[in-house]
Amino acid sequence: MSNFDPGRLVMVDIPGKTLDAETATFLREQHIRAVCLFRKNIGTEAEVRTLMRDLIAVLGPEALIGIDQEGGAVVRVTFLPQPPSAMALGASGDADRAEAVGAAVARGLKSLGINWNFAPVLDVNNNPANPVIGERSFSNDPVEVSRLAAAWMRGSLREGVACCVKHFPGHGDTHVDSHHALPTVDKSRAELNALELAPFKALAGQAPAMMTAHIVYPQIDPERPATLSPALIGGILRGDWGYDGVVITDALMMKAVAERFGYARSAVMALQAGADMVLAQGSPAEQLVAINALREAFASGALTAHQGEVANARLDELAAAYPARAVDDSAVRAADHALMSEAWAAGLTALRGARPPALNAPVRVIVQGDVPTDMVSEAGPTGRQAVALFESFTDAQVQMVDDIAQLDWATVPKDGRLNVLVSTRRARYGLTASEWRPDLHLSLWNPYQALDVHGPTVLTWGFAPGALAGLRAWLEGKTRATGRAPQGLQ
């Protein structure tokens, strides 16, 4: 047996906004060095600083503290400058801006002591029906994804925060969310090379870490999702491309893996396939299932000491290159907030001749009241935020609906008012929307809703403060929408 504990190869989550004594003891006793933070862990900035100080003290100098701070709707720490979604950056197409945003994201995380960001997304969103990627992708063009993601990652790495590109080998052409079921992408290796794999291969030499996807690619491995597949991780990524960075799994608790293989078996299979670290969320008892499964596998020879030592060494190297220590960003925080607002505004995109109504025109704002979180993205913008966009209009009526997808256009009054449909939800509308005829459609989240509704449309690619400020400025005639949508959305 090697001279390290397999607990070092497992990333866990923790309860609450403080590090309680019981959790601290568990982390120490199980030799855990890696923790993933989620929204449940994020309090005020002062609370996060205290949590991080306590975590680093327990995890030690080789701590890896990860988070999903991608941009757009997938941002866990909202008091930091909120970055545009990848597709918003894609709409402006400016690699220098993408690099500056990546750097600003890293500065914010580093100010807290977080040293590993599960971003950027390298998925090529070539499927408008994709329920989980969408605007999290830079483009439906693999060359554009590679160009902009490389720039974003350059900025992050320069500022000292490790990136983890995801979701290898590509989640862009799926109809199913792997949080809930097991997606399949039935493509040949040649087809994957041309699209899904292209950004991962292009950036393999620069990415210090990659996260795997819980997706089956049956023409490569008909039995196992990529996370557990020796053909995909050991074969393509490690063997064909010679990738020697860290490979971490997506969460093993996701139904795509948990229901078919179980925590214990999947943890072992992932390392056998060529991964270095498993992401084992859940209760301490559930986390212990994964940790003990690895211990037993190393003891029995199902995993060799050499496999463990190589994985541990890669993780040590990542932690040494990107140490977890808080670095003050107070001198640049205000400038980084301004950068994010400018970047959001630059992505604002008008389709089909969309123009702002006159400020004295009678308008009707049709909007859903509230949108709950889907546990991947944050909760959507409130109806109140949508209505606030029209505060400068002299005659704006509001029609709140419980579920925008159930809207019956025949019930919308024909009284001469301009009907402005504002979407605050993530999901596509469905077939009923083909009957809708708004004078203006404002999509504050999923840009592919533009395919559901006929008529002039404006895409913000997200609903962070900078996105809403940019849209409000456009509505008030103070700015133009200069972004360009990917092919197929225009």
Side-chain angles (χ1 to χ4, degrees):
M1 180 58 200
S2 55
N3 58 1
F4 75 96
D5 190 284
R8 289 174 64 81
L9 308 183
V10 178
M11 175 175 265
V12 301
D13 64 333
I14 57 172
K17 297 178 173 65
T18 59
L19 184 61
D20 61 88
E22 189 177 348
T23 302
T25 299
F26 177 80
L27 295 173
R28 278 198 190 95
E29 289 181 347
Q30 302 309 323
H31 303 278
I32 290 166
R33 62 133 106 228
V35 166
C36 190
L37 301 178
F38 293 90
R39 175 49 73 85
K40 66 182 179 180
N41 305 121
I42 307 301
T44 64
E45 184 157 0
E47 288 172 324
V48 175
R49 287 185 186 286
T50 301
L51 172 62
M52 292 300 300
R53 187 187 65 227
D54 294 347
L55 259 182
I56 292 168
V58 168
L59 299 175
E62 293 166 338
L64 290 166
I65 301 175
I67 199 164
D68 294 295
Q69 194 83 349
E70 295 175 15
V74 184
V75 168
R76 306 299 179 220
V77 189
T78 53
F79 57 72
L80 293 175
Q82 289 190 46
S85 61
M87 205 169 277
L89 290 170
S92 68
D94 187 330
D96 290 340
R97 180 180 288 118
E99 183 172 341
V101 166
V105 172
R107 281 192 291 270
L109 295 178
K110 193 170 61 168
S111 76
L112 305 174
I114 296 168
N115 61 338
W116 201 6
N117 189 8
F118 297 127
V121 169
L122 297 193
D123 302 315
V124 183
N125 200 81
N126 68 318
N127 182 349
N130 193 319
V132 72
I133 301 300
E135 81 291 344
R136 296 169 67 191
S137 166
F138 287 96
S139 178
N140 59 6
D141 175 359
V143 175
E144 272 296 276
V145 170
S146 303
R147 182 177 75 89
L148 294 170
W152 197 101
M153 185 162 60
R154 256 194 319 275
S156 178
L157 299 182
R158 186 176 67 245
E159 290 293 331
V161 172
C163 288
C164 183
V165 298
K166 60 189 184 185
H167 306 81
F168 173 83
H171 209 315
D173 194 11
T174 55
H175 292 78
V176 173
D177 181 349
S178 54
H179 290 82
H180 308 301
L182 183 61
T184 296
V185 175
D186 192 4
K187 292 184 174 181
S188 67
R189 174 70 187 272
E191 290 172 304
L192 292 171
N193 283 345
L195 192 81
E196 279 84 355
L197 288 172
F200 291 96
K201 185 177 183 182
L203 272 58
Q206 301 156 56
M210 288 200 190
M211 177 177 280
T212 60
H214 299 332
I215 300 173
V216 172
Y217 302 79
Q219 297 189 43
I220 310 294
D221 186 337
E223 303 295 326
R224 287 159 292 212
T227 293
L228 311 178
S229 172
L232 281 154
I233 301 176
I236 293 176
L237 183 56
R238 299 286 196 206
D240 294 357
W241 300 350
Y243 184 70
D244 197 36
V246 167
V247 175
I248 183 171
T249 72
D250 208 340
L252 296 183
M253 71 181 297
M254 289 161 62
K255 290 185 180 179
V257 165
E259 289 187 351
R260 283 166 180 77
F261 301 95
Y263 247 36
R265 188 174 166 219
S266 59
V268 174
M269 289 175 71
L271 263 64
Q272 287 173 331
D276 303 298
M277 178 166 267
V278 296
L279 176 49
Q281 293 167 243
S283 66
E286 289 174 303
Q287 294 167 2
L288 208 50
V289 167
I291 296 167
N292 285 336
L294 294 183
R295 288 179 180 141
E296 290 163 17
F298 281 113
S300 70
L303 286 167
T304 67
H306 177 70
Q307 284 174 303
E309 286 161 0
V310 168
N312 190 49
R314 287 192 184 115
L315 294 160
D316 284 348
E317 194 175 320
L318 187 70
Y322 304 95
R325 57 169 182 253
V327 179
D328 181 26
D329 74 332
S330 56
V332 295
R333 179 76 65 89
D336 284 347
H337 277 296
L339 167 71
M340 298 309 193
S341 293
E342 181 271 334
W344 272 113
L348 191 69
T349 302
L351 303 177
R352 304 171 200 136
R355 291 181 179 80
L359 290 176
N360 61 357
V363 299
R364 177 180 294 104
V365 181
I366 304 168
V367 64
Q368 182 171 323
D370 286 303
V371 181
T373 175
D374 61 4
M375 305 312 291
V376 180
S377 305
E378 304 307 320
T382 63
R384 195 175 297 109
Q385 285 175 290
V387 171
L389 295 168
F390 296 87
E391 283 176 351
S392 297
F393 284 73
T394 56
D395 185 8
Q397 287 186 2
V398 178
Q399 181 178 330
M400 287 276 187
V401 296
D402 291 332
D403 180 358
I404 200 82
Q406 301 301 315
L407 177 65
D408 179 358
W409 197 257
T411 66
V412 177
K414 297 177 177 61
D415 55 4
R417 284 186 175 272
L418 290 172
N419 290 306
V420 183
L421 178 72
V422 185
S423 171
T424 55
R425 62 184 251 150
R426 178 69 165 35
R428 296 277 297 272
Y429 298 128
L431 289 174
T432 53
S434 63
E435 304 299 318
W436 301 349
R437 293 293 181 270
D439 297 293
L440 181 62
H441 172 211
L442 307 178
S443 179
L444 307 188
W445 196 343
N446 186 342
Y448 293 95
Q449 292 167 342
L451 302 179
D452 300 335
V453 177
H454 297 287
T457 296
V458 175
L459 305 175
T460 61
W461 317 100
F463 50 87
L468 298 181
L471 177 58
R472 179 167 175 166
W474 180 85
L475 284 167
E476 294 174 358
K478 297 173 181 173
T479 187
R480 294 170 58 235
T482 57
R484 287 180 57 82
Q487 267 189 326
L489 256 179
Q490 295 165 4

